[in-house]
Amino acid sequence: SRLLIKREEIIERATALAKAIHNDYKGKRPVLLCVLKGAASFYLHLLEALQDLRQGFYTEFLRLSSYEGAETSGTVKARGGLHYQDLTGKDVLIVEDIIDTGTTLSHLIPVLKK
């Protein structure tokens, strides 16, 4: 395996994104929803950068999977204890890892909108 993105670049991107979130949500507390497991390390860098900016936020976690081995199944399976009704009326920012087919988000976004 080879390194595609350096750790420093990931931290820089998380910091830049945190600044954008801070500008858009100053005085508000958005919910940052981490789609596990892939987004976890980036999510932690993002939360740290938001804390440095003194930006308020809530955290939530959801484990979704549309893969069986190395292939997408086309079916999204949810695991975890997220209570979607707790998100009603809140600004929710989804932190996802690599988006290739879009299957996971095409399932999650309509569920969150309900």
Side-chain angles (χ1 to χ4, degrees):
S1 72
R2 64 184 180 140
L3 180 65
L4 298 177
I5 303 172
K6 294 179 184 176
R7 182 179 191 275
E8 294 79 20
E9 292 176 286
I10 293 170
I11 293 171
E12 285 175 21
R13 183 63 189 126
T15 301
L17 185 56
K19 288 177 183 175
I21 291 168
H22 181 64
N23 288 335
D24 290 344
Y25 291 93
K26 195 174 268 189
K28 296 181 180 178
R29 293 186 70 174
V31 176
L32 285 106
L33 175 59
C34 180
V35 179
L36 295 171
K37 297 183 190 180
S41 61
F42 181 80
Y43 187 77
L44 293 176
H45 291 300
L46 179 61
L47 296 184
E48 185 175 280
L50 287 167
Q51 287 174 332
D52 289 345
L53 295 169
R54 302 205 187 302
Q55 171 64 51
F57 55 85
Y58 298 102
T59 58
E60 288 292 346
F61 299 89
L62 180 63
R63 187 167 181 183
L64 296 176
S65 176
S66 63
Y67 279 82
E68 293 176 8
E71 299 291 322
T72 184
S73 67
T75 303
V76 177
K77 296 176 185 173
R79 299 179 186 119
L82 179 66
H83 300 281
Y84 295 101
Q85 66 273 16
D86 293 344
L87 303 176
T88 302
K90 295 181 182 169
D91 295 315
V92 178
L93 305 178
I94 301 168
V95 181
E96 169 68 297
D97 64 345
I98 298 169
I99 301 171
D100 51 6
T101 63
T103 302
T104 302
L105 284 180
S106 66
H107 168 80
L108 179 58
I109 291 171
V111 171
L112 291 175
K113 286 183 176 182
K114 286 184 184 178

